[in-house]
Amino acid sequence: MTTASLKKTAGRSWRVVDIVVAALIAVAGGVIFWAWSQGAAAVSAPMNAAYPPLTGLLAGGWMIPAALGMLIIRKPGAALFCETVAATGELLMGSQYGASVLFSGFVQGLGAEIIFAIFVYRRFNLPVSLLAGAAAGLFCGLNDSFAPWGWNIAYSGGDKLAYIVFTIVSGAIIAGALSWVATRGLARTGVLAPFASRKAATEPVFS
């Protein structure tokens, strides 16, 4: 194995600080999930009255740990780890959705993880973040619409399609864009010094 290969492998290996910060992001994500669920329950009432699939626009809040975790840690598995552990935290705090949140967290994290993997974990700009959030939203929409425990499984085909489109948009904006902005903000404070994302504040937006 060449020196360059060794450095590449080492660069993608998880360190103790990566695990600790990923766990912190996941725990914070679990709290966000729980709070978001409470807020969504109230806000979704008028949405359901107007057009039920519109509730898909609220889905992005449940995908933040996947995008934010990867944008900060930048190691394979970060999106999947943070999202799944966050979902576990929500369950432990008493999720109104029960154990189904575990699978939801897994598939949403997987959606974001796939996008970062496609770019070989080398691109963390705004377009990639938007794509990662959108993919998480896509997987969320599919899970909610077609899994046996999907809460909108009784929707018509057209309403399911509309709901999935809304979850994609929500994932891209709330999880993708906001996590990207948050990462840049954190980088400016210096708290990301131990990570490859420490220069996120000065990285190009589109390249």
Side-chain angles (χ1 to χ4, degrees), residues 45-94:
M47 287 183 163
N48 272 312
Y51 181 50
L54 282 172
T55 56
L57 292 173
L58 302 172
W62 286 289
M63 306 166 205
I64 291 173
L68 184 61
M70 180 61 79
L71 290 172
I72 289 175
I73 298 169
R74 303 190 176 186
K75 299 286 179 70
L80 190 58
F81 175 87
C82 290
E83 187 74 10
T84 304
V85 175
T88 303
E90 181 189 8
L91 176 62
L92 293 175
M93 284 186 286

Side-chain angles (χ1 to χ4, degrees), residues 59-155:
W62 286 289
M63 306 166 205
I64 291 173
L68 184 61
M70 180 61 79
L71 290 172
I72 289 175
I73 298 169
R74 303 190 176 186
K75 299 286 179 70
L80 190 58
F81 175 87
C82 290
E83 187 74 10
T84 304
V85 175
T88 303
E90 181 189 8
L91 176 62
L92 293 175
M93 284 186 286
S95 172
Q96 65 194 61
Y97 303 108
S100 66
V101 298
L102 296 178
F103 188 76
S104 296
F106 174 80
V107 298
Q108 289 162 191
L110 181 62
E113 188 78 35
I114 287 172
I115 296 300
F116 289 111
I118 288 173
F119 289 93
V120 203
Y121 301 101
R122 291 179 179 174
R123 295 208 177 243
F124 302 93
N125 55 27
L126 180 57
V128 173
S129 298
L130 291 172
L131 284 173
L138 171 62
F139 279 41
C140 169
L142 292 173
N143 177 60
D144 289 347
S145 300
F146 298 105
W149 50 80
W151 68 272
N152 61 356
I153 196 168
Y155 279 10

Side-chain angles (χ1 to χ4, degrees), residues 156-200:
S156 67
D159 284 349
K160 285 182 178 179
L161 178 59
Y163 176 82
I164 292 169
V165 169
F166 289 141
T167 60
I168 291 172
V169 172
S170 182
I173 296 173
I174 298 177
L178 292 186
S179 293
W180 181 81
V181 170
T183 302
R184 289 171 73 89
L186 288 170
R188 289 190 184 95
T189 70
V191 298
L192 302 185
F195 304 98
S197 54
R198 60 186 174 275
K199 298 180 180 179

